[in-house]
Amino acid sequence: MALGFAVFLLCLSGLHLILAADHPSYVAAVYEHRVRLNSNPRVPLDRRSALEHMKQNLHVFEEQAVLAAQQGAQIIVFPEDAIHGFNFTRASIAGYLETVPNPQEVTWSPCADPHRFPDTEVLQSLSCMAQKNHLFVVANMPSRQSCNRTADPHCPADGQYQFNTNVVFSDQGVIAARYHKQNLYFEAAFDAPPECEYVTFTTPFAGRFGVFTCFDILFRDPAVTLIKDMGVRQIVYPTAWMNQLPLLAAVQFQRSFSHATGVTLLAANIRAAEYGITGSGIFTPWDSLIHHDTKGNSGKLLVRRVPVLDLSFIGDGADKALVPFSGYSKEKLKSEEPEKMHVWPTSSFDSDDGVKYCQKDSECAQGVTSATFTSIMMYDNFTLVPLQGSEGNISICSGSVCCHLLFRRSDTHEFYALGIFNGLHVVHGTYYLEVCALVKCTGDHHSSCGEETEHAHTPVDFRLTGTFTTRHVFPGILGSGMTLDIPDHSGWESGNRFYMSRTGMSTGLVTAVLYGRHYEKDND
């Protein structure tokens, strides 16, 4: 929604930021690309053959940059792996590599000075794309960087680093930023940089942006450090994210991340249906424009006007308004949750079915009951309790983490359960989780709770609360058909308790989750 036609209110921790019609704004674009893949990525190609492959994808980029510019876009983000593809080995990707000079040390427009560095055809193409269309261009590519094993103990055996690299070009075609991906995800071709990089760049139309890539979003560094410690409020985010429901579909977590951290997230994913990869969007803390398509065979360009959130660019009156991980109301005139959410009648919640309904975490922590069951969700062993009846009040604990749910629904035919996981996730990455999740099960048996589905028929009004030992909680609500939602209200109460509430959903509820990340325990 263009700011010229609306007034937005952003409320965090009781602080209000009015985004009026004259608030600074810019036009952003992201492109979800149906990448042309190398059919034999483990077989090395010479440089000429690798370039011919990459030119097929760059040609599409050029077309989309023109279309974005025609719609007024000032910045466009392309996806991770979208130029070269994936599943390479360290040796087989050699023909695709280019050296990207450090823009902190070298000022260079590859388009204006193409012969300054050898074998930089991809950089030249992207630079000219930015210059011709007067766009900031963010693209992902494989790069090399020579190193000396005598001087650098981290230098690989072959004498060069190979990085998964984001490159940002200014609207004049100059390389404005370079970021090497820190948290790799099954990427045998690449090295992680010896030290984590915290990369930002500045634009004349929106101030400062931060940069990171795909799997980085689940870790403290660089993502949370950029936002929480360095004050970055606008992120460009190339990704190649494989959807994993019920908790980590691409647009689902992109929405949660933007909402929880109070940032604008420009997320560009590739489309590769055979790998379950899709989901891109332009997210602000309170709304989004998204694309999710598991069946289509073409790319998708998203363009929209968004408000500037860089506090130094906005000027006086906005400093302190955006507080990461504080929670806030999406309603324009309310900063507090309606009292009725706390006082739903509890007489109807009494039950003789053996389920332990507890009003305090201390009561629930005394032990789980026979009504609970376990099921694998996202490769983790969750403990769950079923929802029974049209309304209820249930809790479940795992160690020091407890989940509490007030719910009301008009239809009881679909099977829902409240689940908890408190532990180290060790499949496809290692990271510590504290999760409270209300999920729609795919069948009527316990083992179906945690299986993937995009569809549900039952709207559920709820208030979900969790006690956490981390302050980094990402609230998320997913409706039927990959409909994204945000809480009516969310935030901290009574110290370590985080809540979110939602009533009046227009679609069936697939997932409501408080996704806690305890970064300090990742090495446990």
Side-chain angles (χ1 to χ4, degrees), residues 201-459:
F201 63 95
T202 302
T203 69
F205 53 83
R208 187 172 58 154
F209 288 78
V211 189
F212 54 82
T213 311
C214 199
F215 203 38
D216 286 332
I217 203 169
L218 287 181
F219 296 87
R220 174 188 289 278
D221 294 310
V224 172
T225 298
L226 278 171
I227 295 165
K228 198 171 182 181
D229 298 341
M230 297 176 61
V232 175
R233 292 293 177 266
Q234 301 166 144
I235 301 293
V236 294
Y237 178 62
T239 184
W241 189 281
M242 296 194 314
N243 289 284
Q244 288 189 307
L245 288 166
L247 304 182
L248 286 180
V251 294
Q252 178 187 22
F253 195 73
Q254 292 161 12
R255 166 72 281 166
S256 292
F257 186 90
S258 171
H259 179 84
T261 58
V263 303
T264 293
L265 183 70
L266 308 181
N269 201 0
I270 61 174
R271 180 179 304 173
E274 62 272 32
Y275 295 97
I277 304 177
T278 183
S280 305
I282 299 173
F283 301 86
T284 72
W286 52 89
D287 62 8
S288 60
L289 175 66
I290 69 163
H291 182 72
H292 174 94
D293 183 1
T294 58
K295 299 180 180 180
N297 292 315
S298 60
K300 180 66 176 181
L301 179 67
L302 301 176
V303 182
R304 72 169 302 195
R305 181 172 293 277
V306 292
V308 175
L309 296 187
D310 181 3
L311 303 183
S312 62
F313 193 94
I314 295 171
D316 295 338
D319 60 329
K320 299 185 180 180
L322 295 169
V323 182
F325 303 104
S326 65
Y328 62 90
S329 168
K330 73 178 182 182
E331 297 186 11
K332 295 183 178 181
L333 298 176
K334 297 179 180 179
S335 60
E336 297 181 357
E337 184 185 28
E339 185 64 22
K340 65 181 181 180
M341 291 298 296
H342 298 269
V343 295
W344 285 350
T346 57
S347 59
S348 60
F349 298 161
D350 296 334
S351 174
D352 296 324
D353 57 11
V355 178
K356 183 178 179 65
Y357 299 135
C358 21
Q359 301 296 327
K360 299 179 180 179
D361 296 328
S362 59
E363 297 175 0
C364 190
Q366 294 174 2
V368 297
T369 74
S370 59
T372 64
F373 61 94
T374 60
S375 185
I376 300 299
M377 188 187 310
M378 311 283 296
Y379 303 103
D380 295 317
N381 191 25
F382 274 69
T383 301
L384 302 101
V385 60
L387 274 62
Q388 298 182 347
S390 60
E391 56 186 28
N393 177 1
I394 56 177
S395 300
I396 191 168
C397 291
S398 175
S400 56
V401 178
C402 291
C403 307
H404 187 92
L405 175 70
L406 286 166
F407 72 91
R408 175 178 290 160
R409 54 183 175 168
S410 59
D411 191 326
T412 61
H413 288 90
E414 291 185 307
F415 183 22
Y416 284 83
L418 173 66
I420 188 169
F421 180 76
N422 175 24
L424 192 66
H425 175 92
V426 295
V427 178
H428 301 163
T430 302
Y431 43 93
Y432 201 96
L433 296 174
E434 298 179 358
V435 179
C436 295
L438 170 58
V439 296
K440 187 255 183 183
C441 308
T442 59
D444 56 6
H445 48 93
H446 289 169
S447 62
S448 74
C449 299
E451 293 181 349
E452 297 195 26
T453 182
E454 294 184 5
H455 303 287
H457 298 290
T458 309

Side-chain angles (χ1 to χ4, degrees), residues 102-287:
N102 186 350
Q104 301 299 316
E105 301 172 356
V106 177
T107 301
W108 178 44
S109 167
C111 186
D113 188 5
H115 303 297
R116 184 172 181 179
F117 298 98
D119 298 321
T120 56
E121 292 89 343
V122 173
L123 289 172
Q124 292 168 33
S125 177
L126 294 167
S127 172
C128 291
M129 198 182 305
Q131 178 180 306
K132 290 176 182 177
N133 295 288
H134 307 291
L135 277 170
F136 271 69
V137 170
V138 183
N140 176 268
M141 61 184 290
S143 74
R144 69 163 65 89
Q145 183 174 308
S146 298
C147 56
N148 187 321
R149 298 193 70 198
T150 301
D152 180 1
H154 302 288
C155 181
D158 57 6
Q160 69 176 17
Y161 288 106
Q162 296 182 182
F163 293 126
N164 177 327
T165 306
N166 291 339
V167 187
V168 182
F169 299 85
S170 76
D171 53 5
Q172 300 300 310
V174 175
I175 296 178
R178 180 194 70 181
Y179 168 70
H180 299 134
K181 184 179 180 182
Q182 178 67 33
N183 300 285
L184 301 175
Y185 187 83
F186 296 100
E187 299 173 65
F190 297 125
D191 305 297
E195 296 183 358
C196 187
E197 302 172 354
Y198 306 96
V199 175
T200 64
F201 63 95
T202 302
T203 69
F205 53 83
R208 187 172 58 154
F209 288 78
V211 189
F212 54 82
T213 311
C214 199
F215 203 38
D216 286 332
I217 203 169
L218 287 181
F219 296 87
R220 174 188 289 278
D221 294 310
V224 172
T225 298
L226 278 171
I227 295 165
K228 198 171 182 181
D229 298 341
M230 297 176 61
V232 175
R233 292 293 177 266
Q234 301 166 144
I235 301 293
V236 294
Y237 178 62
T239 184
W241 189 281
M242 296 194 314
N243 289 284
Q244 288 189 307
L245 288 166
L247 304 182
L248 286 180
V251 294
Q252 178 187 22
F253 195 73
Q254 292 161 12
R255 166 72 281 166
S256 292
F257 186 90
S258 171
H259 179 84
T261 58
V263 303
T264 293
L265 183 70
L266 308 181
N269 201 0
I270 61 174
R271 180 179 304 173
E274 62 272 32
Y275 295 97
I277 304 177
T278 183
S280 305
I282 299 173
F283 301 86
T284 72
W286 52 89
D287 62 8

Side-chain angles (χ1 to χ4, degrees), residues 76-90:
I76 186 169
V77 182
F78 292 107
E80 180 187 27
D81 297 340
I83 295 174
H84 55 285
F86 43 81
N87 287 338
F88 295 94
T89 68
R90 186 174 185 84

